[in-house]
Amino acid sequence: MADDDFELESLAAYLHLGVAQVARLVERGKIPGRRVGGQWRFSQAEVNQWLEARIGLSDDDDLLQMDSILQLDESSPAFEPISLVEMLPSEAIAVPLMARTRGSVISDLVQQAARTGWLWDAAKMIEAVRQREALHPTAQENGVALLHPRRPLTTILGHAFLAFGRTERGIPFGGRNTTDLFFLICSINDRSHLRTLSRLSQVLMKDDVLQELRRAADAAGVREVIAAAESSTS
C-alpha cells in the first residue's frame, strides 16, 4: 500500500464523515477505490481528483454540501476558517491583465502572484499550471477559470494565497465559452486547496458577483467585491 493511501477509517476522517456513510458511498461506486486483500484502499490523489471534479461540476446545493464535508470541526485545533479576501492581496491582482493568449494568461498571472514575495519559483508554477490545464481545462461556462497546479507546490510557496486577473476581452481557454476572469489558487496542502476551491466556486456561482468583478476599477474594487460576496454566502 502506498504511503498516502487511505483505509476506510482514515478516509472517513479525511472527509470528516462517518465510516458507515463513506462505506455506503464506496459500495455505490461514488468514491474511487479498490479492494486489496479483501479491504478497501483509496489513493489520496484519486480522492482529491474526485473531490475537485465534484466541486467543479456541482450546483449551489452540492457546493454547500461539499463545503461542509471539507470543513473541519471548529473544536479541532487544526480548524482554520477560510477568508478569500484575506488570501487575495492587492499585489496579486491585475486589472487589467494584458495577456491575449492562453499561454500568456498563465505566465502573466503567475508573475503577478510572484510580486507578493510568497511564490519563490515562478517558472516551476507556470509549468505546473500548464500541465494541469493540458490535463483538463479549468475554464467554466461563466467565463471564469480557476488555475492551479495538479498538486500543491509546498516547497515554492511561503503560504497559501490567491491571485486574480481580468483580461480586457474573452480568451479561448478550453471551455465552450471565452474566459476573461482568472483566479490562481496557490495552496500548501490538498485539504486547504480543496476547501479554497470549494469556497471560491460557491462565491462565483452568482452572476452579480461576476458582473461586479468585471466592473471593478482596480485591485481595491476587486477585493471589495470578494469581501461582499463572502459576507452574503457565509
Side-chain angles (χ1 to χ4, degrees), residues 37-201:
Q39 301 295 320
W40 281 107
R41 296 289 185 268
F42 309 91
S43 161
Q44 181 171 330
E46 290 179 357
V47 168
N48 288 332
Q49 289 170 15
W50 168 77
L51 284 169
E52 186 173 306
R54 284 288 308 277
I55 291 168
L57 299 175
S58 294
D59 59 23
D60 199 37
D61 290 338
D62 284 340
L63 281 172
L64 289 172
Q65 181 182 17
M66 291 302 296
D67 198 48
S68 66
I69 288 174
L70 294 167
Q71 295 289 339
L72 294 171
D73 189 321
E74 292 189 20
S75 64
S76 167
F79 178 81
E80 294 182 4
I82 284 180
S83 169
L84 297 178
V85 71
E86 291 182 5
M87 293 180 66
L88 182 62
S90 297
E91 298 90 338
I93 298 174
V95 179
L97 184 69
M98 301 307 295
R100 296 183 179 180
T101 66
R102 185 180 182 184
S104 61
V105 163
I106 295 172
S107 59
D108 289 3
L109 188 55
V110 170
Q111 293 293 348
Q112 187 72 34
R115 294 184 180 185
T116 63
W118 302 330
L119 170 58
W120 305 323
D121 191 336
K124 186 172 183 178
M125 178 65 77
I126 290 169
E127 180 59 26
V129 172
R130 285 177 175 166
Q131 289 177 2
R132 172 62 179 82
E133 289 296 319
L135 181 68
H136 185 75
T138 60
Q140 303 176 10
E141 293 185 11
N142 58 6
V144 179
L146 305 178
L147 308 179
H148 56 270
R150 193 172 178 186
R151 294 294 298 273
L153 300 179
T154 307
T155 59
I156 65 170
L157 292 170
H159 57 80
F161 70 99
L162 298 169
F164 172 78
R166 185 188 70 212
T167 55
E168 294 181 321
R169 63 189 65 183
I171 292 174
F173 212 78
R176 287 188 288 183
N177 301 322
T178 58
T179 306
D180 63 337
L181 303 177
F182 300 89
F183 285 87
L184 174 65
I185 303 174
C186 300
S187 300
I188 57 174
N189 59 59
D190 289 318
R191 178 176 285 277
S192 67
H193 166 70
L194 291 167
R195 291 180 64 209
T196 302
L197 182 59
S198 175
R199 180 64 169 162
L200 190 56
S201 297

